[in-house]
Every structure is written in structure tokens, then in C-alpha cells.
Amino acid sequence: MEKPVSNEKLAYYQEFLDIIPMLFQDDVSVALADTKTFIDVRVSEGLPLNAKTGQAVPQGGAVHKTLTTGRVMIQEVSAEVYGIAFHSYSFPIKENSQVIGVLVVGKSLRHKYELLEKAATLADSLVQSTKAIDEIANASQFLNETNQEIADTAKITADKTKEIEKVIAFVKEVSKKINMLGVNAAITAAHAGSHSKGFEVISKEIRNLSGTTAASVSEIETVLGDIRQSVDHFSDQLNSSLLSLNSQSAATEEVLASMEELNSAAEMMKELASSI
């Protein structure tokens, strides 16, 4: 502790110089000045003040302004001045309405700026993450819409396949009737005897046409069955994909909502840190 001062009121404030730093969580340096010099300076390792015991009060500074105006002076000193940012508080000490000294408290802003930096970093990270998730959501939406269009096309294809099946059924019925016509022509040729050569040729060609038609229809049915099976399998797979995409889209929306809340929290952190 420095040498006690002669003025009783200044000595009273001097007794509290060791207690004041205990009231703060940050690094705090304190000093006591009379109207001309610093009479007691207690410097924290984390916050060096540009003042020494016995040093004259510099003109134009916060202490000098408090001495001349009698008002409390509060100002923020940037890190460029002493290497670390801090708040400076200058309180006038009066006796019989006259300013006889100044109590100076320097409070480090290290924690404030560390918090501001972390909040800014968090905010930037959240912004980038939100953008990335938003892009994923847009891509999922686009893919979902594309898959839905494909699913609609697959349904149309399946419906067309059913229409083709109706045509095939009709052709099969026609083939049966052609075959019956050939059989009737053969019977007629048998009854006509030697005059039935023309009927035999016609009968043979009709039955050949019937057989060819039936074989073609059978092949078409086989191919159509394969197409129908492929379309059905594709539709099942596509429906599963759509369900998965819908679930993913819903999850992405929830994540985006959470990210928005985190962004708001980060902004609140920045505002809170700025008010410290």
C-alpha cells in the first residue's frame, strides 16, 4: 500500500483502492489523484495504466477534465493506446463543493471483446451453415418435384399399358374369329370336293394368318408384361424415394428453423457483449 495522504477525505478513498478491483470480474486498475498529481496508483497486471504515483495529471485527459468540470467522465479507450481496450471511469472527489481529487478506475474490456469475437465467429459460421442447409433444402425440393413428375409419367405409362392390353385382348378375339373362319373355309373346301382348290388355299392362308397373329400377340403380351413389371418396380422404388425425400425435406425445415433460432441467439450475444 502507498504512503497515506494528508487530506482526510482523500485518505478515506485511498482505503478502498484495494477493495474496488474485487467488485469486478475483469482486470481492474485504480488510481487516486489530487488536483495536481497521482497520489496512489494500483496497477493490475492485466491492465497497465499510463500513470505512476507522483506523476503530474496530464492536461486534456479524463482526470484533468473531471478536475476542471467536476463531472464524472466515462470513456472507452481503444486497444491501440495501451495494447488492451478498457473503460475509464473518473469520479470527482469534492470537499465543500470544491473538487479536491479524482478517483480513477480502469476496467478491462478483454472479456467483452473476446465474447464479441466469439459471437461474431459463431454468427458467421451459422450464416454459412444456414446457407448450405438452405441450398440442400432447395436441391431436395427440386429433386422432389422432379421425382414427382417422373412418378406422374410412370403412372401415365402404366395407364397406357392397360390400354394396350385392351387392344391386345381385342386382337386376340379377332385372331380367334379369323381361325374359326379358316376352319369353316376348310370344312367348306372338304364338302366342295374337286372344286375346292380355291377354298383350300384361302383356308390355309387364313389359318396361317391366325397363327401368325396369335404368335405376335403372345410375343407382345410377353414384352408388355416385362414392361409392366419394370414400370411397377420403378414406381415402387420411386414412391419409396419420394417418401424419403419428404422426410428429409421435413427434417431440413426443422434444422433451418433451429439455425434461425441460433442466429437470433448469436445476434443477442453480440448485442449483450456490446452492452458490457
Side-chain angles (χ1 to χ4, degrees):
M1 184 175 180
E2 298 292 332
K3 180 180 178 182
V5 296
S6 57
N7 183 282
E8 183 177 349
K9 196 160 191 177
L10 292 179
Y12 173 80
Y13 279 92
Q14 186 181 31
E15 293 180 1
F16 290 95
L17 292 185
D18 286 330
I19 298 176
I20 293 175
M22 299 178 185
L23 304 177
F24 300 87
Q25 294 181 342
D26 298 285
D27 293 321
V28 173
S29 293
V30 293
L32 186 66
D34 57 20
T35 56
K36 296 181 180 180
T37 61
F38 289 102
I39 55 179
D40 197 341
V41 178
R42 312 287 175 87
V43 178
S44 167
E45 292 183 2
L47 180 59
L49 287 178
N50 190 24
K52 295 181 180 179
T53 301
Q55 179 181 333
V57 174
Q59 297 288 321
V63 177
H64 183 264
K65 291 179 181 179
T66 299
L67 285 172
T68 55
T69 64
R71 297 198 302 266
V72 175
M73 302 297 296
I74 301 175
Q75 64 183 26
E76 183 172 323
V77 182
S78 66
E80 285 75 12
V81 179
Y82 298 117
I84 185 170
F86 67 94
H87 258 134
S88 173
Y89 305 86
S90 297
F91 304 96
I93 301 173
K94 297 181 180 180
E95 188 174 60
N96 298 324
S97 300
Q98 297 293 318
V99 179
I100 62 172
V102 176
L103 174 65
V104 185
V105 178
K107 175 179 173 291
S108 171
L109 296 178
R110 177 173 59 87
H111 290 160
K112 170 185 175 178
Y113 284 102
E114 285 178 352
L115 181 58
L116 272 174
E117 183 178 356
K118 291 178 179 178
T121 301
L122 175 60
D124 290 341
S125 298
L126 288 174
V127 167
Q128 296 300 321
S129 297
T130 302
K131 287 181 179 179
I133 294 173
D134 192 46
E135 290 176 0
I136 293 173
N138 291 334
S140 296
Q141 180 65 27
F142 175 76
L143 185 58
N144 190 33
E145 292 173 356
T146 302
N147 279 359
Q148 187 61 56
E149 292 177 0
I150 296 173
D152 293 341
T153 303
K155 185 178 183 303
I156 292 173
T157 303
D159 292 340
K160 293 296 182 183
T161 302
K162 292 179 181 178
E163 293 297 324
I164 295 173
E165 288 176 347
K166 292 180 181 178
V167 174
I168 290 175
F170 174 75
V171 173
K172 287 175 70 176
E173 188 64 28
V174 171
S175 176
K176 289 179 181 178
K177 290 181 178 181
I178 291 174
N179 186 55
M180 288 299 298
L181 183 61
V183 171
N184 291 334
I187 293 172
T188 302
H191 286 303
S194 58
H195 303 287
S196 63
K197 296 296 182 181
F199 279 105
E200 289 181 1
V201 173
I202 294 173
S203 172
K204 183 177 181 182
E205 291 300 324
I206 290 175
R207 282 182 290 178
N208 287 339
L209 175 60
S210 175
T212 302
T213 302
S216 298
V217 169
S218 179
E219 292 178 2
I220 293 172
E221 281 186 316
T222 301
V223 173
L224 195 61
D226 292 339
I227 293 174
R228 183 171 58 250
Q229 185 176 0
S230 297
V231 170
D232 291 342
H233 178 70
F234 176 71
S235 296
D236 291 340
Q237 294 295 321
L238 195 58
N239 287 331
S240 297
S241 176
L242 284 171
L243 289 174
S244 177
L245 278 173
N246 289 334
S247 298
Q248 181 181 347
S249 296
T252 302
E253 290 297 328
E254 292 179 2
V255 172
L256 276 173
S258 299
M259 294 299 290
E260 289 297 332
E261 292 179 0
L262 289 174
N263 279 327
S264 299
E267 290 299 323
M268 290 179 61
M269 281 180 60
K270 291 173 67 176
E271 294 176 4
L272 179 61
S274 299
S275 65
I276 296 177

